[in-house]
Amino acid sequence: MEHEKPGTQRPAGRVEWAVVPSVIGPLLLAATDRGLVSVVFHADERVRQRALERLAAALGGELVESASGRLAEPIRQLAAYFDGGLRSFDVKLDWTLVTGFHRQVLRELADGVPYGSVVGYGDLARRVGQPAAAQAVGAAMGSNPLPLVVPCHRVVGSDGGIGGFGGGLETKRRLLALEGVLPEPLF
C-alpha cells in the first residue's frame, strides 16, 4: 500500500463517495485526490448521512457521489477480496483522518499483518515500540477510518477472544471466516 508522507495535511478539495454492496452489508467508501480516506460499515441512509457530515467537517471538501474515478480501483479490489481472489490491497491511502500513535499503529497493521493471520493488541503495541499500550492500540482500532483495507478485524484479544470491532462482532467473525482464521458460520 502506498502511504502519504507525514505533514502533508491540506484541505481535501473534492471528496468522491459511493455506497457499494458487499457480503457484510453496504459499505460507504470515500476518496480524496490523495487516496481512499474512509470506509464505513452498514451504510444505510442514517449511517451514510452521519458519515458524510463527519467527512465534510473533517476534510472541508466538496462531497460528490461517484462510483467511478477515484473509487473505481478500491471498489474493484474490495469486490475481489470478498470473492476470495484478493489477499492484499494495493490502493493509495489518504491518512488525513488519523494522526500520531493511532496512525503509527494502523500503518503497522496495514503493512505487517497479512491476510489469514491475526495479531494481539499487546503484540501490535510491542511492534510499534510501546509494549504497555495495548489499550491504546484498541483505541486506534476503534478510530480506524479505513477498516477492511487497514485490517483491524485481524486484531484479537490475548485471551483467545476475538476482541471488539466497530463494524460489530458478527461482521468481524464473517471477515475472519472469509480469511480462513475462523470456521464459516453455519447460517
Side-chain angles (χ1 to χ4, degrees), residues 159-171:
D159 62 358
I162 68 169
F165 191 60
L169 292 182
E170 183 55 33
T171 299

Side-chain angles (χ1 to χ4, degrees), residues 34 54 63 83 91 125 130 138 146 155 163:
R34 291 166 279 185
R54 282 192 308 269
L63 296 171
D83 287 342
V91 294
Q130 301 290 327
L146 294 160
V155 183

Side-chain angles (χ1 to χ4, degrees), residues 102-144:
H102 289 194
R103 185 185 288 196
Q104 181 184 10
V105 168
L106 292 173
R107 284 180 183 245
E108 174 60 31
L109 176 63
D111 295 336
V113 183
Y115 182 99
S117 65
V118 293
V119 65
Y121 294 95
D123 187 41
L124 196 51
R126 282 186 290 284
R127 288 185 187 194
V128 297
Q130 301 290 327
Q135 286 185 325
V137 167
M141 297 305 105
S143 70
N144 181 3

Side-chain angles (χ1 to χ4, degrees), residues 40-61:
V40 178
F41 292 112
H42 314 298
D44 61 22
E45 182 65 35
R46 183 180 54 80
V47 169
R48 177 173 52 242
Q49 189 59 41
R50 280 197 336 253
L52 292 173
E53 288 168 5
R54 282 192 308 269
L55 284 170
L59 299 173

